[in-house]
Amino acid sequence: MDGCCGPSHPDGYDEVFDGRFAQRVARRYGARGLSRIERRLVEFLEEAGVRGATVLEIGGGVGEMQLELLARGATRAVNVELSNGYERDAERLLREAGVADRVTRLVGLDVAVDPEAIEPADLVVLNRVVCCYPEAERLLTAAASRARRALVFSHPRRNWVIRSRVAIENRMHRRAQVDFRSYVHRPQAMRDAVRRAGFEIRDERSGLAWCTVGAVRSL
């Protein structure tokens, strides 16, 4: 879910995060590499221990973070997506990197609804995903239940500038009859959900629009 908005059902998600969107993301990655936010999350996971680890990315889009983690020593990765719009570009990137046999891509599975359908992994990633889901605490709780060692996620800053922008975007979607909505969840509630799931937050950083959180499972 390489964006900051979300659907009320998968049809709305497909309408926005389609093949053209995926192409733009793939081109950006090919030209510039990871974004600043993505680099922060990868750096935290490197400190937590990537070599030999398995990775689960929820809403990983074309899979650029998985490619970077595999290059840094991860053994396998699973990507879970609601939209099938990413698949063509994701498969191309996997072939070009020579790691198609090390990544499994699952489409149409809602992790928050059925977490047991996903095998646990050492490292779990949610980049720009909680803003795509109406129940962020439920999603993070489900994601944490799949993480053996570390969990990272990003979320929009909750200030009047971001909330106003999101409100405008939501109004534009409604006027265009696009069944799609963005969310700016309460940061403390999301962190509390992660802690209740047995994790200790070790890293928190804030930028102009996005925040990143890194957590490890408590001993």
Side-chain angles (χ1 to χ4, degrees), residues 10 13 43 53 68-69 75 90 112 114-115 138 154 164 173 177 198 207 218:
Y13 188 83
E43 288 168 3
E68 296 292 332
L69 291 169
T75 57
D114 191 11
R138 181 182 182 187
S154 60
S164 297
H173 291 143
Q177 296 184 328
S218 302

Side-chain angles (χ1 to χ4, degrees), residues 65-80:
M65 287 188 63
Q66 298 152 43
L67 294 175
E68 296 292 332
L69 291 169
L70 289 169
R72 287 163 170 77
T75 57
R76 292 196 59 82
V78 173
N79 183 85
V80 181

Side-chain angles (χ1 to χ4, degrees), residues 7-18:
S8 58
H9 60 71
D11 291 340
Y13 188 83
D14 283 332
E15 191 171 354
V16 175
F17 296 104
D18 57 10

